[in-house]
């Protein structure tokens, strides 16, 4: 197509833009200036309107609701700091990016008619320039890129705050002598800043070079020598050279500051940390690469000065890339395979020691106390009596089966659910008891009628809990309940004064309280009991404006139009306790296992464990997500009635927690301000205990030689994983630790040697009083055989009497369920206990505890109760033979005088007191009464003349 034809076609069709060639054969763009101006004006209007309607207005609505919620929970400082630093970083980083990018583009952009030829339709074949269109395009493009950069930086607001507020740890890493705080706080910020600067500089260089190529001020690199007149102009050369040189300088800085430091977390060797290859090959190569980057910057500037920019730039880039590939890729790989791997232990020995020390310190297993056990102790009934608190708190109910049972017995209505069962300890009627407890929460999805009134105004809360001792059963094999029914009733000294649960684990939806609708409290026979919320939780929605705001944000017009929501109404939001805590403290990670505490004044309070963590601890082993450092430094409580959130600083030695405290001075309270009542129920969290136990199974070996060969590696015994992936042998219990005088609440797991079934050690986390958080590992001698869980399971399965009974139950239309095997340390030995449940077929069947297996050493017995099993194993003869002896003596005396009657009465008294002591777990009194009973029986025998 010739020029005239193209112009004529464009004029006739009124095209906005079309491609064409001029008579000289050059390509160009033909644009209608009027149409372009209209298009740009329309596009600008649509963009602004869309940005306001789709971004600004929804953001403002969400901001208003989040601000009101943060005021409700009194965490405004976190909200304002997050908002302020996000906006500040968005403006700062976005602004700097915009200034840098737009200024460079404007400098390179066309400014005269001979710089970029554009052909306009309808104006003939003469060239023209649409100067007003290009600035708008450059402005919008630079603004969009700057916004993306600013938003990316704003999402890392906490990294920059930690870099500014983090304190030194006083511990240095061995490679460069940096304080550990450099890696925890400053390195992530430096890495982010340099990565952003490199990206922006590279993008700017590419765009600027492209514009100069379009203007023919910068030649495109060619394989053949360039034609005369194709050399770059001085302005284009110095501009592009300056940007490219700046990019190379940034590369050198990143190599020196970030890449070098990242060697402390290298995985080149057998473990995490700088290895032999890293130090002898990679580190020198990094230094050479940094020097090469500076040399490339100098070569680029020199090329601009000599009029050979593109040639020098290409050579500099190729040289830098070659040095990087060879020095940091080929040479380290060859050294690792040819020099290190054949002699790995000898080469890596000092670096293994660094890794072991750092891992033990980062995961706080360096201060685990070690106690050695003899492993040869044979337990007697005297040992059982001396450990009465341990025996009386043996957990006979599996949590999963107990939850099934509670679902059948205590849900009462279809819209109540028990979500989880937790272990805790309480002083009940003067005794230290371990109990199971589970909250009875409202499940709105199970309401018989789904409506706005029912879901949001009437059915607003759960009610109470069920609590059962871990070791007691009824004659029917069902759990004994200390707290049960609706309204909740307690059979012990424990009382509930505020049993309503507005905030829990199932409460994921919002509700309105103090409305014209009555709130359902609990069912009472055929009637229902209603209540009115009296707490301080929730956000007031008394005004029409606020109701409109929440109607918009929550997506329900009923909020605005309902006549039930009046001036005194309040909306309760974010009621799931885990989500509520995460929203209030977004910079912490929370253990998924939350637990409910009944306070002394009868309120229900949720307790959550929060972690500080980092992926940048040098030389430390990584777990899932790359985490190399973790502390349970914060305890969070949430009132189940009013939703009040309180965060307590539990570890004043954690540098990350202290940094957060500096950033948010009004958020954290010292743990000493927590009520003693709540402190008595704090638990060592499962999440970090599981990680520490897993790491300790290998890192208890401190010697690099033994560590490398895994000579004494342990493992957590395998078993049925029925509790969210937690080992069945990892559990809470009340016990008296060897060498201690008082029973305490602990978290415990056994270890077996890797690939073996015998027991090697067991680890406990202490939880009571001043001992809270201390870890102790008890080790058995390597030369002694202590049966492990798998071996005991095999012995139980091989016992013909137990197998026969279980098979018989299975053949009668029922299912015999073997509960979790309990590993119970007693002094320097162990006993094993396994409950056996019977469950009838059918969906509504209830598991019943029918038998208890007790094992110690080579003995395995199955009895009706734990007491009988212990009596059979440890040879007391049980209580039933004692009762039989009393009755036999009484029946054999044909003529009894008053002295014999008195002796029989005394024997009955001693027997009754022995039974009472046995039930209460007072084994010392039990033994004393049995001895006195034996003396009375011997006297009876002498008087009656019975052999």
């Amino acid at each position: 197509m010739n020029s005239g034809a193209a112009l004529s076609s464009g004029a006739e069709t009124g095209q906005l833009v079309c491609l064409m060639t001029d008579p000289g054969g050059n390509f160009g763009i033909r644009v209608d200036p009027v149409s372009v101006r209209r298009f740009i004006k329309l596009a600008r209007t649509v963009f602004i309107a869309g940005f306001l309607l789709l971004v600004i207005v929804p953001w403002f609505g969400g901001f208003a609701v989040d601000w009101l919620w943060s005021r409700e929970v009194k965490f405004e400082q976190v909200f304002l700091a997050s908002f302020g630093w996000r906006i500040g970083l968005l403006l700062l980083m976005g602004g700097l990016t915009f200034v840098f990018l737009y200024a460079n583009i404007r400098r390179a952009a066309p400014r005269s008619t001979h710089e970029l030829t554009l052909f306009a339709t309808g104006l003939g074949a003469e060239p023209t320039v649409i100067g007003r269109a290009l600035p708008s395009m450059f402005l919008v493009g630079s603004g969009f890129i700057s916004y993306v950069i600013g938003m990316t930086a704003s999402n890392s607001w906490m990294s920059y705050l930690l870099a500014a507020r983090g304190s030194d740890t006083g511990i240095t890493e061995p490679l460069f002598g940096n304080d550990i705080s450099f890696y925890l706080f400053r390195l992530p910020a430096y890495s982010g800043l340099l990565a952003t600067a490199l990206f922006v500089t590279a993008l700017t260089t590419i765009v600027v070079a492209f514009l100069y190529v379009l203007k023919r001020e910068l030649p495109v690199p060619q394989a053949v020598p360039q034609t005369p007149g194709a050399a770059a102009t001085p302005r284009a050369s110095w501009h592009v050279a300056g940007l490219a040189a700046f990019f190379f300088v940034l590369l050198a800085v990143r190599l020196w500051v970030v890449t070098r430091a990242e060697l402390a977390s290298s995985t080149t060797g057998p473990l995490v940390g700088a290895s032999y290859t890293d130090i002898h090959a990679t580190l020198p190569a990094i230094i050479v690469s940094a020097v090469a980057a500076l040399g490339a910057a100098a070569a680029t500037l020199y090329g601009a000065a000599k009029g050979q920019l593109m040639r020098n730039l290409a050579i500099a880039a190729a040289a830098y890339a070659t040095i990087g590939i060879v020095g940091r890729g080929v040479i380290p790989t060859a050294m690792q395979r040819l020099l290190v791997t054949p002699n790995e232990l000898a080469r890596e020995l000092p670096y293994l020691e660094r890794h072991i020390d750092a891992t033990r310190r980062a995961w706080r297993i360096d201060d685990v106390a070690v106690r050695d056990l003899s492993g040869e102790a044979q337990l007697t009934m005297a040992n059982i009596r001396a450990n009465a608190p341990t025996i009386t708190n043996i957990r006979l109910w599996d949590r999963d089966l107990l939850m099934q049972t509670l679902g059948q017995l205590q849900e009462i209505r279809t819209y109540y659910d028990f979500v989880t069962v937790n272990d805790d300890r309480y002083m009940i009627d003067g005794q230290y008891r371990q109990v199971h407890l589970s909250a009875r929460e409202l499940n709105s999805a199970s309401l018989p009628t789904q409506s706005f009134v029912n879901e949001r105004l009437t059915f607003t809360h759960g009610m109470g809990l069920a609590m059962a001792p871990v070791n007691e059963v009824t004659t029917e094999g069902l759990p004994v309940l200390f707290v049960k029914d609706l309204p909740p009733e307690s059979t012990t000294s424990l009382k509930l004064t505020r049993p309503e649960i507005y905030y829990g684990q199932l409460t994921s939806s919002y509700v309105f309280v103090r409305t014209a609708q009555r709130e359902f409290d609990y069912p009472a026979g055929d009637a229902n009991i209603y209540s009115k919320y009296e707490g301080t939780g929730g956000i007031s929605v008394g005004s029409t404006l606020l109701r409109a705001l929440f109607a918009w944000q929550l997506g329900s017009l009923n909020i605005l139009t309902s006549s039930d929501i009046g001036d005194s109404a309040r909306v309760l939001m974010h009621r799931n306790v885990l989500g509520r805590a995460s929203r209030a403290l977004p910079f912490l990670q929370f253990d998924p296992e939350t637990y409910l505490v009944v306070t002394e004044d009868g309120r229900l309070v949720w307790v959550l464990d929060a972690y500080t963590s980092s992926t940048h601890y040098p030389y430390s082993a990584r777990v899932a997500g790359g985490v190399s450092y973790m502390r349970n430094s914060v305890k969070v409580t949430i009132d189940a009635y009013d939703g009040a959130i309180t965060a307590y600083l539990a570890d004043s030695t954690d540098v990350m927690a202290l940094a957060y405290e500096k950033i948010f001075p009004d958020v954290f309270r010292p743990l000493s301000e927590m009520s003693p009542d709540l402190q008595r129920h704090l638990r060592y969290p499962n999440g970090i205990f599981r990680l520490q136990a897993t790491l300790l199974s290998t890192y208890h070996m401190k010697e690099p030689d033994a560590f490398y060969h895994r000579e004494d590696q342990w493992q957590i015994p395998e078993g049925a994983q029925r509790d969210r992936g937690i080992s069945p042998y990892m559990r809470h219990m009340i016990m008296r630790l060897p060498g201690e005088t008082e029973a305490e609440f602990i978290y415990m797991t056994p270890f077996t040697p890797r690939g073996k079934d015998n027991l090697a050690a067991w680890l406990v986390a202490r939880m009571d009083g001043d001992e809270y958080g201390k870890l102790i590992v008890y080790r058995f001698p390597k030369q002694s055989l202590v049966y492990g869980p798998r071996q005991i399971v095999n012995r139980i399965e091989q016992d013909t009497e137990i197998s026969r009974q279980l098979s018989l139950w299975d053949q009668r239309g029922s299912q015999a369920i073997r509960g979790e095997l309990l590993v119970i340390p007693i002094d320097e030995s162990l006993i094993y206990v396994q409950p056996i449940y019977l469950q009838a077929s059918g969906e509504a069947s209830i598991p019943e505890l029918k038998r208890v297996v007790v094992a110690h050493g080579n003995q395995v017995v199955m009895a009706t109760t734990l007491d009988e099993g212990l009596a059979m194993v440890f040879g007391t003869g049980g209580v039933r033979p004692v009762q039989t002896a009393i009755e036999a003596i009484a029946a054999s005396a044909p003529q009894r005088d008053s002295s014999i009657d008195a002796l029989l009465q005394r024997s009955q008294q001693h027997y009754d007191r022995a039974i009472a002591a046995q039930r209460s777990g007072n084994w010392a009194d039990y033994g004393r009464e049995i001895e006195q009973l034996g003396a009375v029986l011997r006297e009876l025998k002498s008087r009656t003349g019975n052999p």
Side-chain angles (χ1 to χ4, degrees), residues 352-654:
L352 285 175
E353 187 173 3
R354 295 177 181 180
H355 169 75
I356 295 170
D357 292 343
T359 300
R360 289 173 57 85
R361 186 167 53 246
W363 290 98
R364 208 178 70 81
I365 56 177
D366 58 329
D367 59 353
V368 175
V370 179
R371 303 284 188 270
D372 289 320
L373 304 174
S374 66
E376 300 175 354
Q378 290 297 317
L379 298 179
T380 65
M381 183 53 75
N383 299 109
I384 300 299
R385 293 170 185 163
N387 289 270
T390 303
I391 300 300
T392 56
N393 285 286
I394 291 177
R395 194 178 89 181
L396 297 181
W397 280 101
D398 286 6
R399 295 197 292 186
D400 289 345
L401 294 178
L402 179 61
M403 192 160 64
Q404 293 182 34
T405 303
L406 293 179
Q408 295 293 330
L409 301 179
Q410 285 293 304
E411 284 185 358
I412 312 296
R413 293 290 187 270
T414 59
Y415 40 79
Y416 286 124
D417 275 343
F418 291 100
V419 183
T420 58
V421 174
N422 294 119
D423 292 276
D424 206 346
R425 68 283 198 197
Y426 288 83
M427 288 298 297
I428 297 178
D429 297 329
Q431 295 185 37
Y432 195 46
R433 302 294 300 271
Q434 183 176 344
V435 298
H436 291 303
L437 67 162
S438 183
R440 185 186 292 106
E441 298 199 48
L442 181 76
N443 186 354
S444 59
S446 299
L447 290 173
T449 304
Q450 302 285 327
S451 67
F452 177 78
V453 172
N454 273 355
E455 293 182 74
R456 309 300 183 189
L457 308 182
T458 302
F459 291 89
T460 57
H461 59 274
M463 174 59 65
L465 53 83
M467 178 183 289
V470 297
N471 66 322
E472 292 188 24
V473 295
T474 65
T475 55
E476 296 83 11
L478 299 176
V480 173
L481 296 177
F482 285 168
V483 181
K484 59 183 179 179
D485 299 340
L486 288 173
E489 295 181 355
S490 174
T491 60
T492 68
S493 56
L494 197 69
K495 303 300 179 185
L496 271 70
T497 59
R498 183 56 77 184
E500 299 89 343
I501 301 176
Y502 283 87
Y503 300 85
Q505 296 172 301
L506 268 183
T507 50
S508 56
S509 59
Y510 65 91
V511 296
F512 289 86
V513 295
R514 298 184 187 175
T515 65
Q517 283 287 334
R518 296 182 302 171
E519 292 182 51
F520 173 80
D521 206 25
Y522 59 87
D526 295 332
N528 291 329
I529 305 300
Y530 294 88
S531 66
K532 191 175 185 66
Y533 183 70
E534 299 175 352
T536 59
I539 304 168
S540 175
V541 291
S543 68
T544 303
L545 180 62
L546 285 174
R547 288 199 294 274
L549 172 65
F550 282 97
W552 172 33
Q553 288 297 301
L554 298 177
S556 176
L557 187 61
N558 291 321
I559 298 173
L560 182 61
T561 60
S562 175
S563 59
D564 293 323
I565 302 177
D567 295 341
S568 61
R570 305 179 73 85
V571 59
L572 310 185
M573 299 174 58
H574 307 306
R575 298 192 299 140
N576 178 276
V577 290
L578 194 57
R580 188 175 181 85
S582 298
R583 180 174 287 269
L585 300 163
F587 46 87
L588 298 176
Q589 296 77 48
F590 285 87
D591 193 282
E593 188 171 355
T594 62
Y595 53 99
L596 193 63
V597 173
V598 183
T599 64
E600 288 181 343
D601 59 359
R603 296 182 71 91
L604 300 179
V605 177
W606 294 96
V607 181
L608 296 85
D609 289 287
Y611 302 119
T612 59
S613 64
S614 174
T615 58
H616 298 282
Y617 199 101
Y619 285 93
S620 174
R622 268 69 175 145
V623 297
V627 175
S628 56
Y629 172 91
M630 181 178 284
R631 291 288 187 275
N632 172 221
S633 298
V634 179
K635 303 288 186 180
V636 177
T637 62
I638 299 179
D639 191 283
Y641 187 68
D642 59 29
I645 306 174
T646 309
Y648 298 93
L649 188 63
D651 185 354
S652 59
T653 65
D654 177 19

Side-chain angles (χ1 to χ4, degrees), residues 609-815:
D609 289 287
Y611 302 119
T612 59
S613 64
S614 174
T615 58
H616 298 282
Y617 199 101
Y619 285 93
S620 174
R622 268 69 175 145
V623 297
V627 175
S628 56
Y629 172 91
M630 181 178 284
R631 291 288 187 275
N632 172 221
S633 298
V634 179
K635 303 288 186 180
V636 177
T637 62
I638 299 179
D639 191 283
Y641 187 68
D642 59 29
I645 306 174
T646 309
Y648 298 93
L649 188 63
D651 185 354
S652 59
T653 65
D654 177 19
V655 291
M656 295 204 70
L658 295 177
Y660 289 133
E661 188 181 32
K662 288 181 180 179
I663 297 170
F664 309 109
D666 298 333
V667 168
F668 298 101
R669 299 183 184 180
L671 189 62
S672 58
E673 292 187 10
M674 179 184 284
S675 68
D677 176 29
L678 281 176
Q679 288 190 48
R680 285 193 291 270
H681 293 280
L682 294 181
R683 299 191 333 196
Y684 200 88
N686 166 73
I688 195 169
F689 181 79
R690 186 175 68 252
L691 292 174
Q692 288 175 315
T694 302
L695 289 166
L696 186 67
S697 65
T698 300
Y699 289 89
H700 70 276
M701 297 178 287
K702 301 178 186 179
E703 295 300 323
D705 192 12
F707 180 90
Y708 179 82
H709 292 294
R710 301 294 197 270
E711 295 175 358
D712 189 26
Q713 188 172 12
W714 301 335
Q715 64 184 16
I716 299 173
E718 297 179 356
Q721 304 290 317
R722 297 189 299 177
D723 197 0
R724 298 181 299 281
I726 301 173
S727 167
Y729 307 114
M730 187 178 293
R731 61 173 52 83
H732 298 90
M733 66 176 65
I734 290 178
M735 66 170 291
R736 182 175 65 83
L737 295 174
E740 301 293 333
T741 59
E742 299 293 333
E744 56 188 287
F745 194 60
I746 57 100
Y747 201 24
M748 176 264 189
T749 187
F751 292 114
T752 60
R754 184 181 180 184
K756 302 293 183 180
D757 292 329
N758 59 290
L759 210 63
W762 46 281
L763 172 70
V764 299
R766 307 178 74 174
M767 302 192 197
D768 286 353
D770 294 336
E771 305 300 324
Y772 177 88
K774 295 181 179 179
L775 302 178
I776 306 176
V777 62
Y778 293 89
R779 301 185 303 191
F780 291 106
K782 296 180 182 179
Q783 66 275 13
S784 65
L785 173 62
V786 179
Y787 288 126
R790 184 68 256 174
Q791 292 169 317
I792 296 296
V793 168
N794 292 337
R795 292 182 65 85
I796 294 174
E797 292 175 347
Q798 294 166 4
D799 188 282
T800 55
E801 178 61 28
I802 296 176
S803 298
R804 185 191 65 80
Q805 183 63 63
L806 297 182
S807 299
L808 184 63
W809 280 336
D810 286 336
Q811 294 172 4
R812 293 181 176 178
S814 300
Q815 179 186 8

Side-chain angles (χ1 to χ4, degrees), residues 125-174:
E126 295 298 324
T128 184
V129 174
I130 309 176
R132 285 174 292 184
L134 292 177
S136 297
M137 294 169 58
F138 296 146
L139 184 66
V140 172
S142 300
F144 175 76
I145 293 172
S146 301
Y147 174 75
V148 172
I149 295 295
M151 287 298 296
T152 303
S154 70
N155 290 333
S156 302
W157 64 279
M158 183 54 74
S159 296
Y160 296 108
L161 275 178
L162 288 174
R165 301 296 179 87
S167 302
D168 287 348
T169 63
I171 303 171
T172 58
E173 55 84 18

Side-chain angles (χ1 to χ4, degrees), residues 51-92:
F51 187 75
L52 288 173
L53 292 177
L54 300 179
V55 178
I56 298 300
V57 175
W59 175 85
F60 180 78
F63 173 83
V65 170
D66 290 342
W67 165 246
L68 291 172
W69 184 81
S70 68
R71 286 181 57 194
E72 176 214 342
V73 297
K74 298 180 175 57
F75 275 69
E76 305 100 312
Q77 188 175 70
V78 176
F79 178 83
L80 291 176
S82 173
F83 173 73
W85 277 91
R86 285 177 184 271
I87 294 298
L89 285 170
L90 172 64
L91 296 176
L92 177 63

